[in-house]
Amino acid sequence: MKIPHIHIPIVRIPYSPQVELYIKREDLIHPEISGNKYWKLFYNIQAYIAENKATPMLITFGGAYSNHIAAVAALGRDLGLPTAGIIRGEEVADLWADNPTLSKAHNDGMELCFVSRTEYRDKEKLSRGFAERFPDALILPEGGTNPLAVKGIRHMLDRRTKDFDYLCSAVGTGGTVAGLATYAEEGQKVIGFKVVNDPDTETRILSFTGRKNFTLKEAWGRGYGKITDELLRYTESFEEQYGVPLDPIYTGKMMMHLTALIDRGYFPVGSRILAFHTGGLQGKAGIEAMLQKKKKSLINLP
Ligand SMILES: Cc1ncc(COP(=O)(O)O)c(C=O)c1O
């Protein structure tokens, strides 16, 4: 992996005259390893390749629509490394061929291994088992969050991001916000929009960064992977108005809650706010197709 020599656009979103709102299109960094995934993998892969293992392999964890699984499969294909994805939910094994994320990962050469939700919960134990069987493998945690991933997030910040008052990101495992908090300028405030109702997120972020310059907001709505009509209407109209596509699991929920905070006057007048588009568009078409098929106003992703 290289530091791409592309100029990531920062686009103005003329949402409200009260504040200056911008989105950094980190999703454009790579067609398949998009947004924060690129940076979370960057130093992990660099360090692993330098180890020059005899039988290299990438193993990681995720749900049926995981952006991280999609990114690791594409990366393994590009680097010529075997990959294995440990997928949450045995029932998904019957559905994977219709699931765009998993069928693409399979076509990229990833071996899919489906485990029950109970087994999946104890990822430490699963990891230990895989480490014993494949001692040369790089085992990446769910969402790719570890100290090297946090270090990679530094590259989402540059000269242009320095004079924003607020830096915003969706939060899953917390690695991205930990990186933004670590490398933010003095006085910049980081806001993380949690899409997972996990009481340990703040502690986990603090374990990666010594700085308490971040605030977490609850943006999970009806829950992780729960997509309502209201949210889909929001993402559609956002794309129509501002030309920026959002995914319904991370960036859609972040922007819906961020613009609601602007409406409520949370930010002082004139604030400069930068939201990071962390990618996640790969699963969007499949999710929308599922919604069409079910004709329901709320779907639960497996
Ligand atoms: C599109 C997208 N945005 C945000 C996140 C949240 O990142 P983190 O797990 O580092 O909190 C993820 C998960 O990696 C993601 O796929």
Side-chain angles (χ1 to χ4, degrees):
M1 286 177 101
K2 294 195 198 99
I3 296 194
H5 292 288
I6 60 168
H7 192 70
I8 300 293
I10 294 183
V11 292
R12 174 112 203 252
I13 306 294
Y15 177 76
S16 155
Q18 300 298 309
V19 296
E20 289 183 41
L21 176 63
Y22 289 80
I23 293 188
K24 183 159 188 260
R25 295 288 311 270
E26 213 63 49
D27 57 308
L28 299 176
I29 198 150
H30 188 284
E32 292 169 284
I33 311 163
S34 90
N36 59 345
K37 262 65 60 193
Y38 193 95
W39 297 118
K40 291 208 279 185
L41 289 167
F42 187 76
Y43 288 111
N44 276 289
I45 293 299
Q46 240 181 30
Y48 182 61
I49 287 176
E51 285 177 37
N52 210 5
K53 298 281 190 193
T55 48
M57 179 182 190
L58 309 177
I59 302 180
T60 195
F61 301 84
Y65 288 86
S66 165
N67 299 313
H68 173 67
I69 287 284
V72 171
L75 181 64
R77 181 204 61 212
D78 286 357
L79 297 176
L81 292 177
T83 54
I86 318 306
I87 309 300
R88 180 179 60 231
E90 280 165 321
E91 74 285 1
V92 180
D94 300 329
L95 313 169
W96 73 264
D98 288 334
N99 171 304
T101 303
L102 297 182
S103 52
K104 167 79 167 53
H106 172 79
N107 291 337
D108 285 340
M110 180 176 263
E111 180 117 5
L112 301 174
C113 170
F114 299 91
V115 299
S116 71
R117 281 157 200 278
T118 320
E119 263 184 291
Y120 189 89
R121 234 167 264 138
D122 197 351
K123 284 183 279 301
E124 303 278 305
K125 188 172 162 201
L126 279 173
S127 284
R128 280 196 302 276
F130 281 104
E132 274 165 30
R133 281 168 61 201
F134 305 101
D136 276 359
L138 171 62
I139 303 185
L140 291 160
E142 184 178 48
T145 288
N146 63 13
L148 287 180
V150 171
K151 180 178 166 190
I153 296 298
R154 179 167 66 87
H155 295 284
M156 285 171 46
L157 298 169
D158 61 27
R159 196 176 33 80
R160 297 168 301 157
T161 65
K162 284 184 195 295
D163 64 342
F164 282 92
D165 303 306
Y166 296 89
L167 304 173
C168 304
S169 172
V171 178
T173 53
T176 307
V177 157
L180 293 177
T182 303
Y183 300 107
E185 297 297 305
E186 204 59 52
Q188 280 185 319
K189 297 178 192 71
V190 177
I191 306 182
F193 291 85
K194 281 175 69 178
V195 304
V196 186
N197 181 358
D198 173 358
D200 299 330
T201 310
E202 179 158 2
T203 319
R204 192 175 320 112
I205 295 174
L206 280 170
S207 74
F208 287 116
T209 178
R211 298 176 96 184
K212 183 62 191 85
N213 52 354
F214 67 92
T215 312
L216 297 178
K217 301 280 174 203
E218 296 177 2
W220 56 74
R222 308 269 289 265
Y224 177 74
K226 292 200 170 45
I227 298 165
T228 58
D229 268 353
E230 185 199 2
L231 175 63
L232 283 183
R233 276 198 303 273
Y234 178 88
T235 55
E236 264 167 39
S237 87
F238 193 92
E239 182 168 358
E240 252 170 50
Q241 276 188 66
Y242 307 118
V244 179
L246 301 173
D247 82 291
I249 300 183
Y250 291 97
T251 54
K253 285 184 176 171
M254 167 183 70
M255 289 312 296
M256 196 161 113
H257 282 78
L258 173 53
T259 49
L261 285 182
I262 295 173
D263 294 345
R264 269 192 267 139
Y266 175 88
F267 298 99
V269 172
S271 293
R272 283 172 55 77
I273 306 163
L274 180 62
F276 288 89
H277 194 313
T278 42
L281 297 173
Q282 58 84 29
K284 192 171 188 270
I287 291 167
E288 282 167 2
M290 189 203 288
L291 197 77
Q292 280 291 320
K293 213 155 82 187
K294 294 205 167 166
K295 293 246 178 292
K296 280 187 177 172
S297 59
L298 170 73
I299 55 169
N300 295 322
L301 297 182

